[in-house]
Amino acid sequence: MSAGTREAGAPETEAKIVLVKRRTRLEELVVRYNTIQQAQFYVERLGADFGDYLVEDQVYREALVQATEYLSVIGRVQQVDREHVSNFIFGAKDIVVVLGQDGLVANTLKYAGQQPLIGVNPDPKRWDGALLPFTTRELPAVVRDLMQNKRPLKEVRLAQAQLNDGQTLYAVNDLFIGRRTHVSARYELRINEHAEQQSSSGIIVSTGMGSTGWLRSVLAGAAGIASSAAGQSSRGALAPDPSFGWDSPYLYYSVREPYPSRTTSANLVFGKIDERQPLRIISQMPESGVIFSDGVENDYLEFGSGVEASISLAERRGLLAV
């Protein structure tokens, strides 16, 4: 239905607009402590500023109301909470809007299929929002551009962990392979023609989008430890490959705290994974072995003894409106 023939007050599109939202810190506290008063008592007893929780909650709620009002003029809006995203079925013509933070965009991107995402920063004074380029006031123009295929899109390459029992887990930023607890993880690691037994704190696999997160932390720690152990002044943190972008056709793996012993080695601790050379890991963990993605520990695969995981680039790709 064109704008010229559309009835007054009718939505501009029949496509559904999915608005993904999250709980604020205040809402999480109320879930835990039942009332705002009890949450306030807990926070202030620890010497923290409860007023900051209230301000953050108010700003987010106002942004949610504003976004809903703007989007309702354009189409039918369905709000989806973060915890339901993994089970939500996104339609092929849905317009997906995520009311940040960055982690919510990454989590939604895994499940939205080929639908472009619009990342909205609900509180620009508080959050930098690398994946949240838009404000609520910009939403109407961005959504209309997207509907008319006028909005540029940025492709995001995902990682995947595929088990030999057929299960698959995707990641936008990173995968963690190891133990739920702080107990050492035991496994065999294979890449190309090389293989070795390892005992470590786990393996991190990073995408280009995740290169500014966990991977940067790993490299910074490695540089600092190496410099100090050698009795040298720090030369600054190591940086990921500068060409390692959101759409890069490769991943990096990093082994955390590998422990060399009579039966384990620490030679294959960092490297590149591409379409020609996946990383293969065979679990030797009788219990609590897991693979989880993007820092969400309840988004995981069991990884017990004998299970083999193939870590590679995913065919599935994400799209972000920019």
Side-chain angles (χ1 to χ4, degrees):
M1 183 181 294
S2 67
T5 60
R6 182 166 50 89
E7 295 181 6
E12 299 174 19
T13 178
E14 294 181 359
K16 180 177 60 183
I17 302 175
V18 180
L19 178 58
V20 182
K21 61 187 180 73
R22 62 176 179 84
R23 288 175 178 167
T24 63
R25 291 183 301 163
L26 179 61
E27 289 177 306
E28 295 284 1
L29 284 173
V30 171
V31 169
R32 183 176 180 183
Y33 296 104
N34 299 318
T35 67
I36 290 180
Q37 290 75 18
Q38 288 178 308
Q40 181 176 3
F41 174 77
Y42 168 78
V43 170
E44 293 182 344
R45 186 185 62 177
L46 297 177
D49 178 15
F50 188 71
D52 187 56
Y53 289 75
L54 294 172
V55 170
E56 178 191 349
D57 183 76
Q58 180 180 356
V59 171
Y60 189 84
R61 287 176 181 272
E62 290 174 353
L64 181 60
V65 169
Q66 192 172 51
T68 303
E69 290 178 349
Y70 285 144
L71 295 173
S72 295
V73 174
I74 300 173
R76 178 170 61 88
V77 179
Q78 180 175 357
Q79 293 186 5
V80 177
D81 292 319
R82 177 177 190 156
E83 55 266 34
H84 299 141
V85 168
S86 60
N87 296 317
F88 186 81
I89 299 176
F90 291 90
K93 296 183 179 180
D94 288 352
I95 299 167
V96 185
V97 178
V98 181
L99 195 62
Q101 302 164 296
D102 281 348
L104 183 57
V105 175
N107 193 49
T108 305
L109 200 62
K110 289 185 292 188
Y111 302 104
Q114 292 300 308
Q115 298 307 102
L117 262 65
I118 301 171
V120 179
N121 193 332
D123 194 351
K125 293 181 180 179
R126 183 179 297 269
W127 312 117
D128 293 334
L131 307 182
L132 308 170
F134 306 112
T135 65
T136 53
R137 293 185 181 277
E138 295 173 300
L139 259 180
V142 176
V143 172
R144 291 183 177 112
D145 281 352
L146 200 61
M147 290 165 53
Q148 299 172 21
N149 297 318
K150 294 180 179 180
R151 175 61 53 174
L153 303 175
K154 195 165 186 177
E155 185 177 83
V156 178
R157 296 300 301 268
L158 277 62
Q160 72 173 24
Q162 188 166 26
L163 305 187
N164 55 354
D165 64 3
Q167 296 185 83
T168 302
L169 180 68
Y170 297 95
V172 173
N173 290 320
D174 36 55
L175 290 164
F176 172 80
I177 302 100
R179 298 284 289 268
R180 284 186 181 277
T181 63
H182 294 290
V183 179
S184 294
R186 292 294 299 264
Y187 52 87
E188 180 180 276
L189 185 148
R190 298 177 181 175
I191 189 161
N192 291 326
E193 302 302 319
H194 305 287
E196 71 178 30
Q197 298 288 322
Q198 290 188 350
S199 174
S200 74
S201 297
I203 305 167
I204 298 165
V205 176
S206 300
T207 67
M209 178 174 279
S211 63
T212 57
W214 211 343
L215 177 60
R216 184 178 294 274
S217 298
V218 168
L219 294 177
I225 291 170
S227 297
S228 297
Q232 302 173 349
S233 59
S234 176
R235 298 179 181 178
L238 295 170
D241 178 354
S243 65
F244 193 27
W246 291 4
D247 59 348
S248 292
Y250 55 91
L251 312 165
Y252 277 106
Y253 75 91
S254 310
V255 179
R256 298 197 312 173
E257 303 170 328
Y259 183 74
S261 69
R262 291 182 179 179
T263 58
T264 59
S265 303
N267 298 309
L268 304 176
V269 297
F270 182 81
K272 186 180 288 188
I273 303 167
D274 60 28
E275 294 171 338
R276 295 172 298 175
Q277 53 179 31
L279 182 70
R280 300 189 184 280
I281 306 165
I282 302 174
S283 175
Q284 297 171 355
M285 295 172 277
E287 60 181 7
S288 71
V290 294
I291 301 175
F292 66 77
S293 68
D294 299 323
V296 183
E297 293 189 5
N298 59 0
D299 190 8
Y300 72 95
L301 299 177
E302 296 279 359
F303 192 48
S305 292
V307 178
E308 180 175 341
S310 176
I311 312 297
S312 62
L313 281 160
E315 291 186 8
R316 180 187 297 184
R317 306 181 187 203
L319 292 173
L320 287 176
V322 294

